[in-house]
Amino acid sequence: MYVKVVEVIGESESSWKSAVQNAVKDASRKFDNISGVEVYNLTADVVEGDLVDFKANVKIAYTE
C-alpha cells in the first residue's frame, strides 16, 4: 500500500476549523481513502481589527 500526499488550501469566512474541513471536503471529491491531514499554516485577513477570510494550508494523506 502506498500513501500519497496532496497539498491543499482551504478557505472559510468563519473559522480556521471550517477552512480545514473545507479543504478535506474538497479533496475527498477527487481522492478516495483520505487517512489524515496535517495543518501547517493558518492565515486570515484583517478588516477593521476583525479576522476575516480564514485560510488553512494542509497536507492530505490518502491511499490508492
Side-chain angles (χ1 to χ4, degrees):
M1 170 174 52
Y2 291 96
V3 176
K4 295 188 174 188
V5 176
V6 62
E7 294 188 33
V8 180
I9 299 172
E11 297 179 298
S12 171
E13 294 180 357
S14 60
S15 70
W16 281 300
K17 180 179 178 180
S18 293
V20 172
Q21 182 63 58
N22 290 341
V24 173
K25 188 176 289 188
D26 288 346
S28 70
R29 291 187 187 112
K30 184 169 182 177
F31 305 106
D32 294 325
N33 304 320
I34 292 177
S35 59
V37 60
E38 174 188 353
V39 179
Y40 65 91
N41 192 38
L42 299 172
T43 60
D45 294 333
V46 178
V47 175
E48 296 180 6
D50 293 322
L51 296 176
V52 297
D53 297 325
F54 298 83
K55 295 170 189 72
N57 297 73
V58 300
K59 294 180 182 180
I60 296 176
Y62 65 98
T63 58
E64 287 190 332

